[in-house]
Amino acid sequence: MQSNTFSQLIQTSQTKLNTLLDLTASEAKFEAQLLLLHVLNKDRAWLITHENDVAQSNINEAFQALLNRRLNGEPIAYILGYREFYGLHLKVTPDTLIPRPDTETLVEAALSKIPLHTSQTQNIHQKKTILDLGTGTGAVALAIAKNRPLANVIAVDISQAALNVATENAKSLNISNVQFILSDWLSALNGQRFDLIVSNPPYIEGSDAHLQQGDLRFEPLSALASGCDGLDDIRQIINHAPQHLNAGGWLMLEHGYNQVGHVASLLKQAGFNEVSHVLDLSGVNRVTIGQI
Ligand code: GLN
């Protein structure tokens, strides 16, 4: 194999990533750098001062192996084994959905309903209890728990493999106010009530062509697709949530850009009030909330 500097390696792989995957030139360069830094076990600052170093053959081979996986479409988050979400470094595996920036909208919406405890307000506000349904990597539950250390967060998932990843994330981030429970939506939570229930459930239509494209091909289908209209799980959550909310409690659901009307009417039919929508970073109605 011909010897290359790190900078040359990045340039040739940037071109391949840009041509073969649906990535912009800057995304392609960023991904090429991430893969190389992963192999080198170094950070970006290091690369700036070493970009003209020649890559040793073992590094080059390991890098080409990761690059080929990426060129075959495997998500970069699964190759690297992590994803940043709401300032948290989260382990991700093929057992978990890859956390999306859009879902940070759900975290923001939840935090806006949980007062920040200060020494003055500590005695006035009771500790809030929050439930995250279908937690996956734990992304939403951990982001809420980290930013509201006095809240008690329960996070459930139907997949024990996902819960293992979420538990590992809580440990490595040193977040102790989250408890993980194996449950098919609310089924294992008989008699328990919360102040806030949040969920990023599967909501893609079963026949949606996007399921056969990009990262989605590699992610757990059970975390993405939900029946013909994508609303099977959302319907189930909305129907059961009222028995698990305290008076005045909120349900907050992430959903598809075209499901906003459906989710709002399902919430109203189930007795929720104050139904409103929250825009994601791209200006799309991504989260709908209602109060019981
Ligand atoms: N928003 C994701 C996507 O469209 C899907 C996540 C989900 O189904 N909850 O790629």
Side-chain angles (χ1 to χ4, degrees):
M1 206 180 282
Q2 139 204 21
S3 56
N4 276 303
T5 65
F6 294 139
S7 156
Q8 286 164 336
L9 274 183
I10 288 170
Q11 197 153 13
T12 47
S13 35
Q14 173 184 0
T15 310
K16 286 184 194 165
L17 286 162
N18 186 216
T19 324
L20 292 169
L21 299 180
D22 192 18
L23 299 180
T24 64
S26 62
E27 284 167 344
K29 181 170 185 186
F30 185 61
E31 291 206 357
Q33 287 174 336
L34 285 177
L35 292 173
L36 182 59
L37 291 170
H38 189 66
V39 170
L40 292 164
N41 199 19
K42 299 283 186 199
D43 62 19
R44 297 169 67 76
W46 182 91
L47 188 59
I48 293 169
T49 48
H50 292 81
E51 61 180 9
N52 294 322
D53 291 6
V54 172
Q56 290 178 339
S57 61
N58 60 333
I59 295 289
N60 198 354
E61 274 164 35
F63 172 71
Q64 297 301 336
L66 295 193
L67 179 66
N68 285 336
R69 283 171 63 187
R70 184 64 188 117
L71 291 171
N72 282 326
E74 195 174 335
I76 185 117
Y78 289 158
I79 300 172
L80 301 174
Y82 73 87
R83 170 58 49 101
E84 303 291 332
F85 177 82
Y86 211 77
L88 304 178
H89 184 84
L90 295 171
K91 173 175 172 167
V92 298
T93 75
D95 288 314
T96 63
L97 186 81
I98 301 165
R100 318 279 206 263
D102 290 345
T103 304
E104 297 187 343
T105 306
L106 182 62
V107 174
E108 295 278 1
L111 293 179
S112 76
K113 299 290 182 204
I114 313 168
L116 240 187
H117 293 71
T118 63
S119 50
Q120 282 91 24
T121 61
Q122 209 151 24
N123 298 328
I124 307 168
H125 292 296
Q126 284 183 325
K127 281 187 183 176
K128 295 276 181 192
T129 53
I130 294 118
L131 172 66
D132 175 25
L133 294 170
T135 198
T137 57
V140 172
L142 291 167
I144 295 172
K146 165 100 182 170
N147 288 282
R148 294 294 184 272
L150 294 182
N152 280 320
V153 183
I154 293 200
V156 306
D157 206 285
I158 197 172
S159 156
Q160 184 59 51
L163 288 179
N164 294 345
V165 175
T167 305
E168 232 183 278
N169 280 325
K171 272 200 195 118
S172 66
L173 293 163
N174 223 356
I175 297 173
S176 54
N177 54 328
V178 186
Q179 194 191 332
F180 296 102
I181 296 175
L182 186 68
S183 178
D184 181 0
W185 300 127
L186 289 142
S187 61
L189 300 168
N190 269 344
Q192 293 193 58
R193 287 185 185 265
F194 302 85
D195 298 309
L196 181 58
I197 300 180
V198 297
S199 184
N200 171 22
Y203 53 71
I204 299 175
E205 293 176 18
S207 59
D208 192 320
H210 289 104
L211 293 168
Q212 269 76 52
Q213 294 164 16
D215 284 8
L216 277 68
R217 289 168 295 167
F218 292 81
E219 294 181 283
L221 189 61
S222 61
L224 291 167
S226 187
C228 298
D229 61 358
L231 291 167
D232 281 5
D233 290 287
I234 286 184
R235 267 189 287 268
Q236 205 179 322
I237 293 169
I238 291 178
N239 288 337
H240 290 104
Q243 297 119 262
H244 292 274
L245 281 167
N246 291 322
W250 291 89
L251 174 62
M252 305 189 165
L253 295 168
E254 179 174 324
H255 51 71
Y257 71 97
N258 55 354
Q259 293 170 330
V260 58
H262 281 119
V263 176
S265 18
L266 289 167
L267 282 168
K268 287 176 194 161
Q269 277 165 33
F272 284 88
N273 302 302
E274 307 289 333
V275 172
S276 66
H277 311 290
V278 191
L279 300 177
D280 69 15
L281 300 167
S282 336
V284 168
N285 273 316
R286 178 63 61 191
V287 170
T288 295
I289 74 173
Q291 188 175 33
I292 206 81

PDB file of all heavy atoms in Angstrom, residues 97-98 100 102-103 199-204 208 210-211 216 219 221 223-226 254-256 286, ligand 1:
ATOM      1  N   LEU A  97     -31.659   2.927  18.509  1.00  0.00           N
ATOM      2  CA  LEU A  97     -31.803   4.007  17.531  1.00  0.00           C
ATOM      3  C   LEU A  97     -30.657   4.999  17.770  1.00  0.00           C
ATOM      4  O   LEU A  97     -30.216   5.158  18.904  1.00  0.00           O
ATOM      5  CB  LEU A  97     -33.143   4.703  17.783  1.00  0.00           C
ATOM      6  CG  LEU A  97     -33.559   5.770  16.781  1.00  0.00           C
ATOM      7  CD1 LEU A  97     -34.182   5.105  15.554  1.00  0.00           C
ATOM      8  CD2 LEU A  97     -34.582   6.735  17.389  1.00  0.00           C
ATOM      9  N   ILE A  98     -30.190   5.635  16.712  1.00  0.00           N
ATOM     10  CA  ILE A  98     -29.148   6.652  16.866  1.00  0.00           C
ATOM     11  C   ILE A  98     -29.839   7.984  17.233  1.00  0.00           C
ATOM     12  O   ILE A  98     -30.710   8.436  16.482  1.00  0.00           O
ATOM     13  CB  ILE A  98     -28.349   6.810  15.554  1.00  0.00           C
ATOM     14  CG1 ILE A  98     -27.707   5.470  15.177  1.00  0.00           C
ATOM     15  CG2 ILE A  98     -27.299   7.909  15.686  1.00  0.00           C
ATOM     16  CD1 ILE A  98     -27.206   5.406  13.740  1.00  0.00           C
ATOM     17  N   ARG A 100     -31.082  11.635  17.380  1.00  0.00           N
ATOM     18  CA  ARG A 100     -31.078  12.677  16.333  1.00  0.00           C
ATOM     19  C   ARG A 100     -31.114  14.068  16.967  1.00  0.00           C
ATOM     20  O   ARG A 100     -31.778  14.237  18.002  1.00  0.00           O
ATOM     21  CB  ARG A 100     -32.335  12.589  15.463  1.00  0.00           C
ATOM     22  CG  ARG A 100     -32.806  11.211  15.045  1.00  0.00           C
ATOM     23  CD  ARG A 100     -32.010  10.730  13.868  1.00  0.00           C
ATOM     24  NE  ARG A 100     -32.706   9.771  13.029  1.00  0.00           N
ATOM     25  CZ  ARG A 100     -32.581   8.457  13.099  1.00  0.00           C
ATOM     26  NH1 ARG A 100     -31.840   7.899  14.036  1.00  0.00           N
ATOM     27  NH2 ARG A 100     -33.191   7.676  12.225  1.00  0.00           N
ATOM     28  N   ASP A 102     -33.005  16.383  16.080  1.00  0.00           N
ATOM     29  CA  ASP A 102     -34.429  16.753  16.177  1.00  0.00           C
ATOM     30  C   ASP A 102     -35.014  16.428  17.557  1.00  0.00           C
ATOM     31  O   ASP A 102     -35.919  17.114  18.042  1.00  0.00           O
ATOM     32  CB  ASP A 102     -35.268  15.958  15.160  1.00  0.00           C
ATOM     33  CG  ASP A 102     -35.001  16.392  13.742  1.00  0.00           C
ATOM     34  OD1 ASP A 102     -34.407  17.475  13.564  1.00  0.00           O
ATOM     35  OD2 ASP A 102     -35.382  15.645  12.818  1.00  0.00           O
ATOM     36  N   THR A 103     -34.507  15.366  18.153  1.00  0.00           N
ATOM     37  CA  THR A 103     -35.067  14.900  19.432  1.00  0.00           C
ATOM     38  C   THR A 103     -34.651  15.806  20.592  1.00  0.00           C
ATOM     39  O   THR A 103     -35.242  15.750  21.669  1.00  0.00           O
ATOM     40  CB  THR A 103     -34.672  13.425  19.640  1.00  0.00           C
ATOM     41  OG1 THR A 103     -35.132  12.695  18.502  1.00  0.00           O
ATOM     42  CG2 THR A 103     -35.300  12.817  20.880  1.00  0.00           C
ATOM     43  N   SER A 199     -41.868  10.741  25.091  1.00  0.00           N
ATOM     44  CA  SER A 199     -41.495   9.600  24.263  1.00  0.00           C
ATOM     45  C   SER A 199     -41.105  10.031  22.849  1.00  0.00           C
ATOM     46  O   SER A 199     -41.727  10.913  22.267  1.00  0.00           O
ATOM     47  CB  SER A 199     -42.663   8.606  24.163  1.00  0.00           C
ATOM     48  OG  SER A 199     -42.246   7.457  23.430  1.00  0.00           O
ATOM     49  N   ASN A 200     -40.051   9.385  22.359  1.00  0.00           N
ATOM     50  CA  ASN A 200     -39.739   9.434  20.932  1.00  0.00           C
ATOM     51  C   ASN A 200     -39.998   8.023  20.420  1.00  0.00           C
ATOM     52  O   ASN A 200     -39.091   7.213  20.310  1.00  0.00           O
ATOM     53  CB  ASN A 200     -38.281   9.838  20.713  1.00  0.00           C
ATOM     54  CG  ASN A 200     -37.884   9.686  19.253  1.00  0.00           C
ATOM     55  OD1 ASN A 200     -38.744   9.682  18.368  1.00  0.00           O
ATOM     56  ND2 ASN A 200     -36.590   9.547  18.982  1.00  0.00           N
ATOM     57  N   PRO A 201     -41.272   7.706  20.129  1.00  0.00           N
ATOM     58  CA  PRO A 201     -41.611   6.328  19.748  1.00  0.00           C
ATOM     59  C   PRO A 201     -41.316   6.094  18.271  1.00  0.00           C
ATOM     60  O   PRO A 201     -40.990   7.041  17.552  1.00  0.00           O
ATOM     61  CB  PRO A 201     -43.119   6.297  20.000  1.00  0.00           C
ATOM     62  CG  PRO A 201     -43.564   7.683  19.667  1.00  0.00           C
ATOM     63  CD  PRO A 201     -42.425   8.598  20.038  1.00  0.00           C
ATOM     64  N   PRO A 202     -41.437   4.857  17.805  1.00  0.00           N
ATOM     65  CA  PRO A 202     -41.385   4.661  16.352  1.00  0.00           C
ATOM     66  C   PRO A 202     -42.607   5.330  15.729  1.00  0.00           C
ATOM     67  O   PRO A 202     -43.686   5.260  16.309  1.00  0.00           O
ATOM     68  CB  PRO A 202     -41.462   3.140  16.193  1.00  0.00           C
ATOM     69  CG  PRO A 202     -41.977   2.616  17.477  1.00  0.00           C
ATOM     70  CD  PRO A 202     -41.646   3.613  18.538  1.00  0.00           C
ATOM     71  N   TYR A 203     -42.413   6.020  14.598  1.00  0.00           N
ATOM     72  CA  TYR A 203     -43.580   6.678  13.997  1.00  0.00           C
ATOM     73  C   TYR A 203     -43.541   6.710  12.472  1.00  0.00           C
ATOM     74  O   TYR A 203     -44.289   7.447  11.838  1.00  0.00           O
ATOM     75  CB  TYR A 203     -43.768   8.088  14.576  1.00  0.00           C
ATOM     76  CG  TYR A 203     -42.543   9.004  14.503  1.00  0.00           C
ATOM     77  CD1 TYR A 203     -42.097   9.520  13.300  1.00  0.00           C
ATOM     78  CD2 TYR A 203     -41.868   9.362  15.667  1.00  0.00           C
ATOM     79  CE1 TYR A 203     -40.997  10.371  13.248  1.00  0.00           C
ATOM     80  CE2 TYR A 203     -40.762  10.210  15.632  1.00  0.00           C
ATOM     81  CZ  TYR A 203     -40.333  10.715  14.416  1.00  0.00           C
ATOM     82  OH  TYR A 203     -39.245  11.542  14.367  1.00  0.00           O
ATOM     83  N   ILE A 204     -42.657   5.933  11.866  1.00  0.00           N
ATOM     84  CA  ILE A 204     -42.575   5.944  10.404  1.00  0.00           C
ATOM     85  C   ILE A 204     -43.574   4.929   9.833  1.00  0.00           C
ATOM     86  O   ILE A 204     -43.764   3.851  10.409  1.00  0.00           O
ATOM     87  CB  ILE A 204     -41.131   5.621   9.961  1.00  0.00           C
ATOM     88  CG1 ILE A 204     -40.178   6.697  10.503  1.00  0.00           C
ATOM     89  CG2 ILE A 204     -41.025   5.526   8.445  1.00  0.00           C
ATOM     90  CD1 ILE A 204     -38.715   6.438  10.227  1.00  0.00           C
ATOM     91  N   ASP A 208     -42.889   3.196   4.188  1.00  0.00           N
ATOM     92  CA  ASP A 208     -42.088   4.370   3.806  1.00  0.00           C
ATOM     93  C   ASP A 208     -40.739   3.926   3.221  1.00  0.00           C
ATOM     94  O   ASP A 208     -39.995   3.163   3.858  1.00  0.00           O
ATOM     95  CB  ASP A 208     -41.860   5.242   5.047  1.00  0.00           C
ATOM     96  CG  ASP A 208     -41.289   6.610   4.712  1.00  0.00           C
ATOM     97  OD1 ASP A 208     -40.412   6.691   3.815  1.00  0.00           O
ATOM     98  OD2 ASP A 208     -41.706   7.597   5.341  1.00  0.00           O
ATOM     99  N   HIS A 210     -38.058   5.437   2.985  1.00  0.00           N
ATOM    100  CA  HIS A 210     -36.867   5.873   3.743  1.00  0.00           C
ATOM    101  C   HIS A 210     -36.296   4.758   4.619  1.00  0.00           C
ATOM    102  O   HIS A 210     -35.133   4.792   4.978  1.00  0.00           O
ATOM    103  CB  HIS A 210     -37.219   7.065   4.642  1.00  0.00           C
ATOM    104  CG  HIS A 210     -37.472   8.312   3.863  1.00  0.00           C
ATOM    105  ND1 HIS A 210     -38.733   8.796   3.640  1.00  0.00           N
ATOM    106  CD2 HIS A 210     -36.633   9.150   3.234  1.00  0.00           C
ATOM    107  CE1 HIS A 210     -38.660   9.883   2.909  1.00  0.00           C
ATOM    108  NE2 HIS A 210     -37.397  10.118   2.643  1.00  0.00           N
ATOM    109  N   LEU A 211     -37.161   3.784   4.976  1.00  0.00           N
ATOM    110  CA  LEU A 211     -36.674   2.685   5.821  1.00  0.00           C
ATOM    111  C   LEU A 211     -35.607   1.860   5.108  1.00  0.00           C
ATOM    112  O   LEU A 211     -34.832   1.156   5.751  1.00  0.00           O
ATOM    113  CB  LEU A 211     -37.841   1.786   6.247  1.00  0.00           C
ATOM    114  CG  LEU A 211     -38.868   2.437   7.182  1.00  0.00           C
ATOM    115  CD1 LEU A 211     -40.114   1.583   7.297  1.00  0.00           C
ATOM    116  CD2 LEU A 211     -38.250   2.677   8.562  1.00  0.00           C
ATOM    117  N   LEU A 216     -31.093   4.433   8.291  1.00  0.00           N
ATOM    118  CA  LEU A 216     -32.280   3.718   8.781  1.00  0.00           C
ATOM    119  C   LEU A 216     -32.217   2.216   8.500  1.00  0.00           C
ATOM    120  O   LEU A 216     -32.741   1.413   9.270  1.00  0.00           O
ATOM    121  CB  LEU A 216     -33.569   4.323   8.192  1.00  0.00           C
ATOM    122  CG  LEU A 216     -34.119   5.550   8.921  1.00  0.00           C
ATOM    123  CD1 LEU A 216     -33.200   6.756   8.759  1.00  0.00           C
ATOM    124  CD2 LEU A 216     -35.507   5.905   8.431  1.00  0.00           C
ATOM    125  N   GLU A 219     -30.690   0.496  11.490  1.00  0.00           N
ATOM    126  CA  GLU A 219     -31.238   0.714  12.829  1.00  0.00           C
ATOM    127  C   GLU A 219     -32.358  -0.296  13.112  1.00  0.00           C
ATOM    128  O   GLU A 219     -32.949  -0.849  12.186  1.00  0.00           O
ATOM    129  CB  GLU A 219     -31.764   2.142  12.954  1.00  0.00           C
ATOM    130  CG  GLU A 219     -30.644   3.169  12.859  1.00  0.00           C
ATOM    131  CD  GLU A 219     -31.132   4.597  13.006  1.00  0.00           C
ATOM    132  OE1 GLU A 219     -31.701   5.143  12.041  1.00  0.00           O
ATOM    133  OE2 GLU A 219     -30.937   5.165  14.079  1.00  0.00           O
ATOM    134  N   LEU A 221     -35.690  -1.861  13.309  1.00  0.00           N
ATOM    135  CA  LEU A 221     -36.961  -1.491  12.678  1.00  0.00           C
ATOM    136  C   LEU A 221     -38.024  -1.195  13.742  1.00  0.00           C
ATOM    137  O   LEU A 221     -38.858  -0.301  13.592  1.00  0.00           O
ATOM    138  CB  LEU A 221     -37.420  -2.628  11.748  1.00  0.00           C
ATOM    139  CG  LEU A 221     -38.605  -2.324  10.855  1.00  0.00           C
ATOM    140  CD1 LEU A 221     -38.310  -1.166   9.905  1.00  0.00           C
ATOM    141  CD2 LEU A 221     -39.029  -3.567  10.072  1.00  0.00           C
ATOM    142  N   ALA A 223     -37.734   0.308  16.368  1.00  0.00           N
ATOM    143  CA  ALA A 223     -37.601   1.663  16.918  1.00  0.00           C
ATOM    144  C   ALA A 223     -37.994   2.723  15.906  1.00  0.00           C
ATOM    145  O   ALA A 223     -38.017   3.913  16.221  1.00  0.00           O
ATOM    146  CB  ALA A 223     -36.167   1.897  17.382  1.00  0.00           C
ATOM    147  N   LEU A 224     -38.293   2.294  14.668  1.00  0.00           N
ATOM    148  CA  LEU A 224     -38.560   3.263  13.594  1.00  0.00           C
ATOM    149  C   LEU A 224     -39.996   3.210  13.089  1.00  0.00           C
ATOM    150  O   LEU A 224     -40.665   4.236  12.970  1.00  0.00           O
ATOM    151  CB  LEU A 224     -37.625   2.980  12.403  1.00  0.00           C
ATOM    152  CG  LEU A 224     -36.138   3.251  12.596  1.00  0.00           C
ATOM    153  CD1 LEU A 224     -35.339   2.627  11.466  1.00  0.00           C
ATOM    154  CD2 LEU A 224     -35.877   4.748  12.664  1.00  0.00           C
ATOM    155  N   ALA A 225     -40.461   1.980  12.742  1.00  0.00           N
ATOM    156  CA  ALA A 225     -41.727   1.846  12.012  1.00  0.00           C
ATOM    157  C   ALA A 225     -42.846   1.441  12.959  1.00  0.00           C
ATOM    158  O   ALA A 225     -42.625   0.706  13.932  1.00  0.00           O
ATOM    159  CB  ALA A 225     -41.575   0.810  10.915  1.00  0.00           C
ATOM    160  N   SER A 226     -44.066   1.922  12.658  1.00  0.00           N
ATOM    161  CA  SER A 226     -45.187   1.640  13.554  1.00  0.00           C
ATOM    162  C   SER A 226     -46.500   1.528  12.785  1.00  0.00           C
ATOM    163  O   SER A 226     -47.321   2.450  12.772  1.00  0.00           O
ATOM    164  CB  SER A 226     -45.270   2.743  14.613  1.00  0.00           C
ATOM    165  OG  SER A 226     -46.226   2.412  15.568  1.00  0.00           O
ATOM    166  N   GLU A 254     -42.738  12.967  20.362  1.00  0.00           N
ATOM    167  CA  GLU A 254     -42.129  13.286  19.065  1.00  0.00           C
ATOM    168  C   GLU A 254     -42.916  12.527  17.990  1.00  0.00           C
ATOM    169  O   GLU A 254     -43.442  11.430  18.241  1.00  0.00           O
ATOM    170  CB  GLU A 254     -40.651  12.849  19.044  1.00  0.00           C
ATOM    171  CG  GLU A 254     -40.009  13.158  17.698  1.00  0.00           C
ATOM    172  CD  GLU A 254     -38.512  12.902  17.639  1.00  0.00           C
ATOM    173  OE1 GLU A 254     -37.805  13.140  18.643  1.00  0.00           O
ATOM    174  OE2 GLU A 254     -38.059  12.468  16.554  1.00  0.00           O
ATOM    175  N   HIS A 255     -43.012  13.111  16.804  1.00  0.00           N
ATOM    176  CA  HIS A 255     -43.739  12.442  15.706  1.00  0.00           C
ATOM    177  C   HIS A 255     -43.224  12.950  14.370  1.00  0.00           C
ATOM    178  O   HIS A 255     -42.388  13.876  14.320  1.00  0.00           O
ATOM    179  CB  HIS A 255     -45.247  12.693  15.835  1.00  0.00           C
ATOM    180  CG  HIS A 255     -45.581  14.139  15.998  1.00  0.00           C
ATOM    181  ND1 HIS A 255     -45.445  15.043  14.970  1.00  0.00           N
ATOM    182  CD2 HIS A 255     -45.991  14.832  17.081  1.00  0.00           C
ATOM    183  CE1 HIS A 255     -45.781  16.232  15.419  1.00  0.00           C
ATOM    184  NE2 HIS A 255     -46.104  16.150  16.688  1.00  0.00           N
ATOM    185  N   GLY A 256     -43.759  12.391  13.294  1.00  0.00           N
ATOM    186  CA  GLY A 256     -43.347  12.781  11.946  1.00  0.00           C
ATOM    187  C   GLY A 256     -43.910  14.153  11.569  1.00  0.00           C
ATOM    188  O   GLY A 256     -44.892  14.605  12.150  1.00  0.00           O
ATOM    189  N   ARG A 286     -42.464  18.999  15.373  1.00  0.00           N
ATOM    190  CA  ARG A 286     -41.846  17.690  15.639  1.00  0.00           C
ATOM    191  C   ARG A 286     -42.356  17.062  16.930  1.00  0.00           C
ATOM    192  O   ARG A 286     -42.280  15.849  17.112  1.00  0.00           O
ATOM    193  CB  ARG A 286     -40.311  17.904  15.710  1.00  0.00           C
ATOM    194  CG  ARG A 286     -39.479  16.711  16.016  1.00  0.00           C
ATOM    195  CD  ARG A 286     -39.569  15.643  14.977  1.00  0.00           C
ATOM    196  NE  ARG A 286     -39.111  16.096  13.687  1.00  0.00           N
ATOM    197  CZ  ARG A 286     -39.282  15.408  12.555  1.00  0.00           C
ATOM    198  NH1 ARG A 286     -39.880  14.234  12.571  1.00  0.00           N
ATOM    199  NH2 ARG A 286     -38.854  15.891  11.403  1.00  0.00           N
TER     200      ARG A 286
HETATM  201  N1  GLN B   1     -36.900  10.945  13.141  1.00  0.00           N
HETATM  202  C1  GLN B   1     -36.380   9.688  12.740  1.00  0.00           C
HETATM  203  C2  GLN B   1     -36.235   9.633  11.233  1.00  0.00           C
HETATM  204  O1  GLN B   1     -37.144   9.997  10.524  1.00  0.00           O
HETATM  205  C3  GLN B   1     -37.229   8.538  13.190  1.00  0.00           C
HETATM  206  C4  GLN B   1     -37.157   8.341  14.648  1.00  0.00           C
HETATM  207  C5  GLN B   1     -38.368   7.648  15.157  1.00  0.00           C
HETATM  208  O2  GLN B   1     -39.059   6.905  14.465  1.00  0.00           O
HETATM  209  N2  GLN B   1     -38.676   7.892  16.359  1.00  0.00           N
HETATM  210  O3  GLN B   1     -35.199   9.235  10.758  1.00  0.00           O
END
